[in-house]
């Protein structure tokens, strides 16, 4: 049984926080934060890159949690939340890869390099694209939910590999934002840049939560309508 809740105070609070936060974030990025000396204005794409990468990791972690719960006891609501979070995760991974390519073109003079974090991120993207395709297979939703949950768990195992790739393979190409030691936090950024980065992380996280809740509500309504149509068809057929 799927329970559909109307947009309550939580959704309104998220919306009222999200809208001004997005405008403030744009102001901090393009006006308040200083221009990086070496890369210039192109460096500002960094704030979107880090934010979208973080939300992608968060989204896939949520998929992993609901995938485990689904394997333990399949429920349509768990199946829906896992799917919506995966869709958002794939979207934000695509944005992270795209912004990373723009960054790479300006920093490394190439759109793509076979650097460990880029490779592992691309593998992560393929895993969850496959996950979304599995969810569209024909068959009972319980079987599809269990099968897709396996992909969801495999994918979330790859998340820490992506995060640690630059450290494990000791690559110097990809910048380390959260390194070890006091002097490494923020990758040596100026305080204004660091503050802007954290506010961008906050804003994009709120956007993820808002999209997850709205997406789940829409998907639940689709399932209710689908069941109602099937009931009508069965009654007419009988």
């Amino acid at each position: 049984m799927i329970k559909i809740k109307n947009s309550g105070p939580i959704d309104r609070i998220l919306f009222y926080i999200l809208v001004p936060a997005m405008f403030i974030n744009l102001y901090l990025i393009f006006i308040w934060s200083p221009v990086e000396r070496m890369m210039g204005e192109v460096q500002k794409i960094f704030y979107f890159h880090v934010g979208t990468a973080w939300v992608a990791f968060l989204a896939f972690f949520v998929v992993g949690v609901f995938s485990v719960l689904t394997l333990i006891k399949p429920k349509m609501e768990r199946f829906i939340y896992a799917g919506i979070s995966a869709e958002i995760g794939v979207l934000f991974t695509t944005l992270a890869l795209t912004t990373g390519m723009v960054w790479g073109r300006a920093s490394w003079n190439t759109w793509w390099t076979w650097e460990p974090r880029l490779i592992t991120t691309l593998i992560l993207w393929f895993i969850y694209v496959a996950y979304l395709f599995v969810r569209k297979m024909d068959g009972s939703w319980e079987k599809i939910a269990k099968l897709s949950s396996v992909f969801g768990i495999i994918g979330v195992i790859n998340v820490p590999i992506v995060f640690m790739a630059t450290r494990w393979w000791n690559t110097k190409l990809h910048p380390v934002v959260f390194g070890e030691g006091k002097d490494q936090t923020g990758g040596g950024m100026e305080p204004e840049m660091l503050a802007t980065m954290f506010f961008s992380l906050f804003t994009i996280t709120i956007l993820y939560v808002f999209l997850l809740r709205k997406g789940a509500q829409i998907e639940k309504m689709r399932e209710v309508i689908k069941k109602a149509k099937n009931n009508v068809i069965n009654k007419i057929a009988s």
Side-chain angles (χ1 to χ4, degrees), residues 59-78:
F60 294 145
F61 175 76
V62 171
V63 176
V65 171
F66 279 109
S67 294
V68 171
L69 293 175
T70 298
L71 286 178
I72 296 172
K73 186 177 182 181
K75 289 185 178 181
M76 178 58 75
E77 188 168 16
R78 295 172 177 177

PDB file of all heavy atoms in Angstrom, residues 59-78:
ATOM      1  N   ALA A  59      23.445  10.853  -3.119  1.00  0.00           N
ATOM      2  CA  ALA A  59      22.312  10.187  -3.772  1.00  0.00           C
ATOM      3  C   ALA A  59      22.547   8.687  -3.901  1.00  0.00           C
ATOM      4  O   ALA A  59      21.651   7.876  -3.644  1.00  0.00           O
ATOM      5  CB  ALA A  59      22.069  10.803  -5.147  1.00  0.00           C
ATOM      6  N   PHE A  60      23.757   8.291  -4.277  1.00  0.00           N
ATOM      7  CA  PHE A  60      24.062   6.871  -4.439  1.00  0.00           C
ATOM      8  C   PHE A  60      24.134   6.163  -3.088  1.00  0.00           C
ATOM      9  O   PHE A  60      23.818   4.974  -2.991  1.00  0.00           O
ATOM     10  CB  PHE A  60      25.365   6.694  -5.218  1.00  0.00           C
ATOM     11  CG  PHE A  60      25.285   7.170  -6.638  1.00  0.00           C
ATOM     12  CD1 PHE A  60      26.377   7.763  -7.259  1.00  0.00           C
ATOM     13  CD2 PHE A  60      24.109   7.035  -7.364  1.00  0.00           C
ATOM     14  CE1 PHE A  60      26.304   8.199  -8.573  1.00  0.00           C
ATOM     15  CE2 PHE A  60      24.021   7.477  -8.685  1.00  0.00           C
ATOM     16  CZ  PHE A  60      25.120   8.061  -9.284  1.00  0.00           C
ATOM     17  N   PHE A  61      24.551   6.883  -2.050  1.00  0.00           N
ATOM     18  CA  PHE A  61      24.521   6.302  -0.701  1.00  0.00           C
ATOM     19  C   PHE A  61      23.081   6.007  -0.293  1.00  0.00           C
ATOM     20  O   PHE A  61      22.793   4.940   0.278  1.00  0.00           O
ATOM     21  CB  PHE A  61      25.172   7.258   0.298  1.00  0.00           C
ATOM     22  CG  PHE A  61      25.074   6.791   1.727  1.00  0.00           C
ATOM     23  CD1 PHE A  61      25.894   5.783   2.198  1.00  0.00           C
ATOM     24  CD2 PHE A  61      24.146   7.366   2.584  1.00  0.00           C
ATOM     25  CE1 PHE A  61      25.788   5.341   3.519  1.00  0.00           C
ATOM     26  CE2 PHE A  61      24.039   6.940   3.902  1.00  0.00           C
ATOM     27  CZ  PHE A  61      24.861   5.925   4.371  1.00  0.00           C
ATOM     28  N   VAL A  62      22.176   6.928  -0.593  1.00  0.00           N
ATOM     29  CA  VAL A  62      20.756   6.723  -0.296  1.00  0.00           C
ATOM     30  C   VAL A  62      20.222   5.528  -1.082  1.00  0.00           C
ATOM     31  O   VAL A  62      19.459   4.711  -0.555  1.00  0.00           O
ATOM     32  CB  VAL A  62      19.942   8.001  -0.619  1.00  0.00           C
ATOM     33  CG1 VAL A  62      18.445   7.732  -0.521  1.00  0.00           C
ATOM     34  CG2 VAL A  62      20.341   9.129   0.328  1.00  0.00           C
ATOM     35  N   VAL A  63      20.636   5.403  -2.346  1.00  0.00           N
ATOM     36  CA  VAL A  63      20.250   4.236  -3.151  1.00  0.00           C
ATOM     37  C   VAL A  63      20.731   2.959  -2.472  1.00  0.00           C
ATOM     38  O   VAL A  63      19.988   1.969  -2.379  1.00  0.00           O
ATOM     39  CB  VAL A  63      20.839   4.320  -4.575  1.00  0.00           C
ATOM     40  CG1 VAL A  63      20.508   3.038  -5.357  1.00  0.00           C
ATOM     41  CG2 VAL A  63      20.290   5.518  -5.320  1.00  0.00           C
ATOM     42  N   GLY A  64      21.967   2.972  -1.986  1.00  0.00           N
ATOM     43  CA  GLY A  64      22.513   1.795  -1.321  1.00  0.00           C
ATOM     44  C   GLY A  64      21.727   1.412  -0.085  1.00  0.00           C
ATOM     45  O   GLY A  64      21.448   0.227   0.142  1.00  0.00           O
ATOM     46  N   VAL A  65      21.349   2.401   0.716  1.00  0.00           N
ATOM     47  CA  VAL A  65      20.575   2.138   1.934  1.00  0.00           C
ATOM     48  C   VAL A  65      19.225   1.518   1.594  1.00  0.00           C
ATOM     49  O   VAL A  65      18.832   0.490   2.161  1.00  0.00           O
ATOM     50  CB  VAL A  65      20.379   3.439   2.746  1.00  0.00           C
ATOM     51  CG1 VAL A  65      19.385   3.216   3.882  1.00  0.00           C
ATOM     52  CG2 VAL A  65      21.710   3.928   3.295  1.00  0.00           C
ATOM     53  N   PHE A  66      18.508   2.127   0.642  1.00  0.00           N
ATOM     54  CA  PHE A  66      17.192   1.598   0.272  1.00  0.00           C
ATOM     55  C   PHE A  66      17.318   0.253  -0.456  1.00  0.00           C
ATOM     56  O   PHE A  66      16.398  -0.570  -0.392  1.00  0.00           O
ATOM     57  CB  PHE A  66      16.438   2.603  -0.601  1.00  0.00           C
ATOM     58  CG  PHE A  66      15.768   3.687   0.183  1.00  0.00           C
ATOM     59  CD1 PHE A  66      16.246   4.995   0.150  1.00  0.00           C
ATOM     60  CD2 PHE A  66      14.670   3.420   0.972  1.00  0.00           C
ATOM     61  CE1 PHE A  66      15.643   5.999   0.878  1.00  0.00           C
ATOM     62  CE2 PHE A  66      14.046   4.417   1.718  1.00  0.00           C
ATOM     63  CZ  PHE A  66      14.540   5.714   1.667  1.00  0.00           C
ATOM     64  N   SER A  67      18.428   0.022  -1.129  1.00  0.00           N
ATOM     65  CA  SER A  67      18.648  -1.254  -1.803  1.00  0.00           C
ATOM     66  C   SER A  67      18.802  -2.375  -0.771  1.00  0.00           C
ATOM     67  O   SER A  67      18.240  -3.471  -0.928  1.00  0.00           O
ATOM     68  CB  SER A  67      19.889  -1.197  -2.693  1.00  0.00           C
ATOM     69  OG  SER A  67      19.696  -0.293  -3.758  1.00  0.00           O
ATOM     70  N   VAL A  68      19.561  -2.109   0.285  1.00  0.00           N
ATOM     71  CA  VAL A  68      19.717  -3.097   1.355  1.00  0.00           C
ATOM     72  C   VAL A  68      18.368  -3.373   2.015  1.00  0.00           C
ATOM     73  O   VAL A  68      17.999  -4.531   2.254  1.00  0.00           O
ATOM     74  CB  VAL A  68      20.739  -2.609   2.403  1.00  0.00           C
ATOM     75  CG1 VAL A  68      20.745  -3.530   3.617  1.00  0.00           C
ATOM     76  CG2 VAL A  68      22.134  -2.529   1.797  1.00  0.00           C
ATOM     77  N   LEU A  69      17.625  -2.314   2.306  1.00  0.00           N
ATOM     78  CA  LEU A  69      16.313  -2.474   2.927  1.00  0.00           C
ATOM     79  C   LEU A  69      15.355  -3.242   2.014  1.00  0.00           C
ATOM     80  O   LEU A  69      14.538  -4.047   2.485  1.00  0.00           O
ATOM     81  CB  LEU A  69      15.719  -1.100   3.266  1.00  0.00           C
ATOM     82  CG  LEU A  69      16.445  -0.297   4.346  1.00  0.00           C
ATOM     83  CD1 LEU A  69      15.827   1.084   4.483  1.00  0.00           C
ATOM     84  CD2 LEU A  69      16.403  -1.031   5.678  1.00  0.00           C
ATOM     85  N   THR A  70      15.471  -3.008   0.710  1.00  0.00           N
ATOM     86  CA  THR A  70      14.610  -3.697  -0.249  1.00  0.00           C
ATOM     87  C   THR A  70      14.929  -5.188  -0.302  1.00  0.00           C
ATOM     88  O   THR A  70      14.022  -6.027  -0.416  1.00  0.00           O
ATOM     89  CB  THR A  70      14.760  -3.083  -1.654  1.00  0.00           C
ATOM     90  OG1 THR A  70      14.358  -1.715  -1.609  1.00  0.00           O
ATOM     91  CG2 THR A  70      13.897  -3.818  -2.676  1.00  0.00           C
ATOM     92  N   LEU A  71      16.205  -5.539  -0.234  1.00  0.00           N
ATOM     93  CA  LEU A  71      16.583  -6.953  -0.222  1.00  0.00           C
ATOM     94  C   LEU A  71      16.076  -7.640   1.044  1.00  0.00           C
ATOM     95  O   LEU A  71      15.679  -8.810   1.013  1.00  0.00           O
ATOM     96  CB  LEU A  71      18.100  -7.099  -0.320  1.00  0.00           C
ATOM     97  CG  LEU A  71      18.722  -6.819  -1.692  1.00  0.00           C
ATOM     98  CD1 LEU A  71      20.238  -6.963  -1.623  1.00  0.00           C
ATOM     99  CD2 LEU A  71      18.159  -7.771  -2.748  1.00  0.00           C
ATOM    100  N   ILE A  72      16.082  -6.906   2.158  1.00  0.00           N
ATOM    101  CA  ILE A  72      15.580  -7.469   3.415  1.00  0.00           C
ATOM    102  C   ILE A  72      14.067  -7.669   3.351  1.00  0.00           C
ATOM    103  O   ILE A  72      13.556  -8.745   3.694  1.00  0.00           O
ATOM    104  CB  ILE A  72      15.950  -6.552   4.597  1.00  0.00           C
ATOM    105  CG1 ILE A  72      17.465  -6.495   4.764  1.00  0.00           C
ATOM    106  CG2 ILE A  72      15.284  -7.032   5.886  1.00  0.00           C
ATOM    107  CD1 ILE A  72      17.946  -5.477   5.776  1.00  0.00           C
ATOM    108  N   LYS A  73      13.371  -6.631   2.905  1.00  0.00           N
ATOM    109  CA  LYS A  73      11.906  -6.703   2.789  1.00  0.00           C
ATOM    110  C   LYS A  73      11.453  -5.747   1.691  1.00  0.00           C
ATOM    111  O   LYS A  73      11.417  -4.531   1.905  1.00  0.00           O
ATOM    112  CB  LYS A  73      11.238  -6.346   4.113  1.00  0.00           C
ATOM    113  CG  LYS A  73       9.728  -6.552   4.091  1.00  0.00           C
ATOM    114  CD  LYS A  73       9.108  -6.264   5.443  1.00  0.00           C
ATOM    115  CE  LYS A  73       7.604  -6.517   5.432  1.00  0.00           C
ATOM    116  NZ  LYS A  73       6.981  -6.221   6.749  1.00  0.00           N
ATOM    117  N   PRO A  74      11.122  -6.276   0.501  1.00  0.00           N
ATOM    118  CA  PRO A  74      10.696  -5.405  -0.608  1.00  0.00           C
ATOM    119  C   PRO A  74       9.430  -4.613  -0.287  1.00  0.00           C
ATOM    120  O   PRO A  74       8.432  -5.186   0.147  1.00  0.00           O
ATOM    121  CB  PRO A  74      10.443  -6.398  -1.757  1.00  0.00           C
ATOM    122  CG  PRO A  74      11.213  -7.616  -1.395  1.00  0.00           C
ATOM    123  CD  PRO A  74      11.163  -7.690   0.110  1.00  0.00           C
ATOM    124  N   LYS A  75       9.512  -3.318  -0.464  1.00  0.00           N
ATOM    125  CA  LYS A  75       8.351  -2.436  -0.337  1.00  0.00           C
ATOM    126  C   LYS A  75       8.398  -1.444  -1.485  1.00  0.00           C
ATOM    127  O   LYS A  75       9.468  -0.952  -1.838  1.00  0.00           O
ATOM    128  CB  LYS A  75       8.366  -1.692   1.006  1.00  0.00           C
ATOM    129  CG  LYS A  75       8.085  -2.571   2.213  1.00  0.00           C
ATOM    130  CD  LYS A  75       8.003  -1.727   3.483  1.00  0.00           C
ATOM    131  CE  LYS A  75       7.683  -2.579   4.699  1.00  0.00           C
ATOM    132  NZ  LYS A  75       7.585  -1.763   5.938  1.00  0.00           N
ATOM    133  N   MET A  76       7.232  -1.139  -2.045  1.00  0.00           N
ATOM    134  CA  MET A  76       7.172  -0.237  -3.187  1.00  0.00           C
ATOM    135  C   MET A  76       7.758   1.127  -2.863  1.00  0.00           C
ATOM    136  O   MET A  76       8.453   1.733  -3.675  1.00  0.00           O
ATOM    137  CB  MET A  76       5.732  -0.093  -3.667  1.00  0.00           C
ATOM    138  CG  MET A  76       5.545   0.876  -4.825  1.00  0.00           C
ATOM    139  SD  MET A  76       6.513   0.454  -6.296  1.00  0.00           S
ATOM    140  CE  MET A  76       5.547  -0.931  -6.935  1.00  0.00           C
ATOM    141  N   GLU A  77       7.503   1.623  -1.649  1.00  0.00           N
ATOM    142  CA  GLU A  77       7.999   2.948  -1.276  1.00  0.00           C
ATOM    143  C   GLU A  77       9.532   2.970  -1.270  1.00  0.00           C
ATOM    144  O   GLU A  77      10.149   3.935  -1.731  1.00  0.00           O
ATOM    145  CB  GLU A  77       7.460   3.350   0.092  1.00  0.00           C
ATOM    146  CG  GLU A  77       7.767   4.795   0.453  1.00  0.00           C
ATOM    147  CD  GLU A  77       6.988   5.273   1.664  1.00  0.00           C
ATOM    148  OE1 GLU A  77       6.447   4.412   2.396  1.00  0.00           O
ATOM    149  OE2 GLU A  77       6.923   6.490   1.879  1.00  0.00           O
ATOM    150  N   ARG A  78      10.152   1.903  -0.770  1.00  0.00           N
ATOM    151  CA  ARG A  78      11.615   1.816  -0.776  1.00  0.00           C
ATOM    152  C   ARG A  78      12.140   1.751  -2.211  1.00  0.00           C
ATOM    153  O   ARG A  78      13.154   2.372  -2.540  1.00  0.00           O
ATOM    154  CB  ARG A  78      12.064   0.575   0.005  1.00  0.00           C
ATOM    155  CG  ARG A  78      11.729   0.634   1.487  1.00  0.00           C
ATOM    156  CD  ARG A  78      12.026  -0.687   2.169  1.00  0.00           C
ATOM    157  NE  ARG A  78      11.764  -0.612   3.605  1.00  0.00           N
ATOM    158  CZ  ARG A  78      11.876  -1.640   4.445  1.00  0.00           C
ATOM    159  NH1 ARG A  78      12.263  -2.823   3.981  1.00  0.00           N
ATOM    160  NH2 ARG A  78      11.613  -1.489   5.733  1.00  0.00           N
TER     161      ARG A  78
END
